[in-house]
Amino acid sequence: IVEPQIQTDIRLLGSIILKKYVNEHWDTSLLKFKEPIISDVDKLNIKTLLLPILNESNSKIRNIIAYIIALIGRLEWPEIWPNFANEIITLISGNNKILISAGLK
C-alpha cells in the first residue's frame, strides 16, 4: 500500500485486506474481533505508515485508509493515541486538498 510504484490494483487489494485485518484483530471490543490481537509494536507501525498514505491520489485507496484511521482513532483516542487529533488537525491545516479531504473523512 505504501509503495506508489506498485500497481494500483495490488495496493487497493492490500488496503482492503488491511481494513479487514484491523476490523478483526485491532481490539477485543470490535464486533468482528478474532484472535490473535495485533501486538502493540505492530499497531504502532501500522499507525505510522497509514497517515502518509492519506496523500494517495487514488480515492478508493485513500477512502479505505481514512476509514481505517478513523476506526483506530475511535478505539485509541485519547488514551492510547493522544496525538491523534493533533495529527489530523495538522493534515487539514495545510494547502494540500487531498490531505484536507482525507483528514475530514
Side-chain angles (χ1 to χ4, degrees), residues 27-46:
D27 190 273
T28 57
S29 68
L30 293 168
L31 291 175
K32 298 178 182 180
F33 178 76
K34 297 177 184 176
E35 292 287 343
I37 193 163
I38 301 170
S39 73
D40 291 340
V41 171
D42 288 340
K43 286 179 178 181
L44 182 59
N45 289 331
I46 291 169

Side-chain angles (χ1 to χ4, degrees), residues 36-66:
I37 193 163
I38 301 170
S39 73
D40 291 340
V41 171
D42 288 340
K43 286 179 178 181
L44 182 59
N45 289 331
I46 291 169
K47 290 186 289 192
T48 301
L49 291 172
L50 286 180
L51 286 173
I53 302 174
L54 286 176
N55 198 25
E56 168 64 43
S57 60
N58 182 289
S59 64
K60 290 178 183 177
I61 295 172
R62 188 174 58 247
N63 289 340
I64 292 170
I65 298 304

Side-chain angles (χ1 to χ4, degrees), residues 2 15-16 27 37 58 61 80 88-89 99 101-102:
V2 179
S15 64
I16 292 167
D27 190 273
I37 193 163
N58 182 289
I61 295 172
I80 300 169
I88 298 302
I89 290 169
L99 286 175
S101 172

